[in-house]
Amino acid sequence: MGEQTVTGSDGTPAPEAAAGPASAGMTADGRQPEPADVAGAGMTADAVPGAPAGGAPAGPADRTTDIVPGPGGVMTDEVGVVTGELTLRTEHADGRVTLRVQYKDADEWYAVTGGSAPLADPAALDAVHTIAVGLLNRPEG
């Protein structure tokens, strides 16, 4: 199949055909269209803020929020239950997310029991942190 020309009812080339082919990515003759250089048209949904080119995080990423757990506190691997004013940190490193808590303004961090899971996409860190805060922050009991 050869190149086709779009013509009007009188046989003359249609105005669109005179200006060049309008293929919208499809061709009738089987030839691939030439690639267009469209700067900034790439997908960036997986980009990590502050990450170097290529989307890989610059290092471990984390989010922190002050919380007050409900009655019963938060169970940790190292010291058992912690209660009162705490800071929750959600970390992402090496394809895993880990939840840790500390007494507000203290130096020591404790791993939340059961608070670690695989997380391949670091862009999901904000969603995981939001869910963790929603589950653990119960200032009204």
Side-chain angles (χ1 to χ4, degrees):
M1 184 178 229
E3 207 169 303
Q4 298 178 357
T5 302
V6 178
T7 60
S9 60
D10 62 355
T12 60
E16 298 84 15
S23 68
M26 299 186 302
T27 61
D29 61 7
R31 289 185 290 156
Q32 295 296 321
E34 293 295 319
D37 182 15
V38 182
M43 299 294 287
T44 59
D46 292 335
V48 177
D62 64 63
R63 305 290 183 269
T64 59
T65 300
D66 291 335
I67 64 169
V68 177
V74 176
M75 179 62 78
T76 68
D77 294 344
E78 297 86 357
V79 296
V81 175
V82 292
T83 61
E85 293 184 14
L86 306 174
T87 300
L88 173 68
R89 180 171 70 195
T90 306
E91 304 170 344
H92 182 268
D94 300 324
R96 289 196 70 79
V97 64
T98 303
L99 302 178
R100 299 186 190 280
V101 291
Q102 72 175 178
Y103 290 104
K104 190 171 176 186
D105 300 323
D107 293 328
E108 301 84 17
W109 287 95
Y110 307 113
V112 174
T113 301
S116 182
L119 184 68
D121 186 358
L125 183 65
D126 286 332
V128 172
H129 182 71
T130 299
I131 291 167
V133 169
L135 292 170
L136 297 175
N137 188 37
R138 299 281 181 228
E140 302 299 320

